[in-house]
Amino acid sequence: NLSDSVSSKITAMHVTKNSLIVFKTRGIFLIKGDPVNGFFSQTLTTDIGCESQETVNEVPGLGIVFLSNDGVYVLEGALENTGSQTRFVKLSQTLRSIFKRVNVEYARKFRSVVYQRDREYWLSVCLDSETVPSTILKFSYECGAWSIYENFMTAGMVTTPDERGYLYSAGPSTDGTIAAK
């Protein structure tokens, strides 16, 4: 049972080592199970949620990063009984003015990727009245700083799983199809 007082819809799910994290627009839940007791849910928070599955990524040494309606958060901790506290930290605190302009109405079009080669979390967003993401927010998880790239229309991003770790992005073309960059 993933009910909460707001009854918001499920927006994302993320598999971890021994559990499933379920994100709603207003709430985050942990699903666990064992052979004796079966499956059960645990409420992690009903104060924040996730706007899009495509913004959820596990960032090495940091935790699970995702976009909420008021910024980017990280879910830290082991999600296990290991003594490591599970908590939410707002990563985008220094980008308050940008996040006032993020158009979350189009969050289903936002994309993110972990670019391990440069140790960055990339997030494409729509600003103001835009309907196609054209701004990239990059978070360097090595130094903890944000950078912003504008006029970078993105419909998709992916990194190669090999040792080269290339990042490829695709943007909308004039005929409505996807064009690789």
Side-chain angles (χ1 to χ4, degrees):
N1 182 10
L2 298 178
S3 61
D4 56 8
S5 60
V6 180
S7 298
S8 58
K9 68 178 183 169
I10 293 174
T11 55
M13 291 190 269
H14 183 79
V15 177
T16 66
K17 186 174 169 182
N18 296 319
S19 59
L20 173 69
I21 302 169
V22 177
F23 295 88
K24 295 177 90 177
T25 51
R26 198 72 174 166
I28 301 172
F29 303 86
L30 183 67
I31 309 292
K32 296 189 79 163
D34 64 53
V36 176
N37 298 319
F39 291 99
F40 61 93
S41 70
Q42 173 186 352
T43 302
L44 296 178
T45 184
T46 56
D47 294 329
I48 58 176
C50 178
E51 290 296 322
S52 170
Q53 172 73 39
E54 300 300 329
T55 67
V56 180
N57 268 297
E58 195 154 349
V59 176
L62 195 60
I64 299 166
V65 178
F66 61 94
L67 175 73
S68 188
N69 66 345
D70 67 338
V72 176
Y73 286 82
V74 62
L75 171 56
E76 294 179 335
L79 303 173
E80 301 285 338
N81 295 329
T82 61
S84 177
Q85 180 184 8
T86 301
R87 66 187 184 131
F88 295 92
V89 175
K90 191 171 187 179
L91 288 180
S92 60
Q93 196 64 25
T94 58
L95 297 177
R96 282 179 283 207
S97 60
I98 290 289
F99 273 96
K100 288 180 182 177
R101 297 177 52 208
V102 171
N103 189 349
V104 294
E105 180 180 340
Y106 293 96
R108 70 186 185 289
K109 294 182 178 183
F110 297 1
R111 299 292 182 260
S112 70
V113 70
V114 176
Y115 187 30
Q116 292 189 19
R117 188 172 170 181
D118 286 351
R119 294 173 171 40
E120 294 174 330
Y121 168 83
W122 287 35
L123 174 65
S124 66
V125 297
C126 297
L127 296 181
D128 305 319
S129 61
E130 295 173 340
T131 60
V132 176
S134 65
T135 300
I136 301 288
L137 306 175
K138 294 182 184 182
F139 180 73
S140 170
Y141 54 89
E142 186 171 65
C143 65
W146 287 95
S147 55
I148 301 166
Y149 291 86
E150 296 180 300
N151 301 317
F152 195 94
M153 294 183 93
T154 307
M157 295 185 286
V158 65
T159 58
T160 59
D162 60 12
E163 68 281 349
R164 296 171 299 168
Y166 292 148
L167 179 126
Y168 294 100
S169 68
S173 66
T174 55
D175 63 1
T177 60
I178 305 284
K181 292 182 182 179

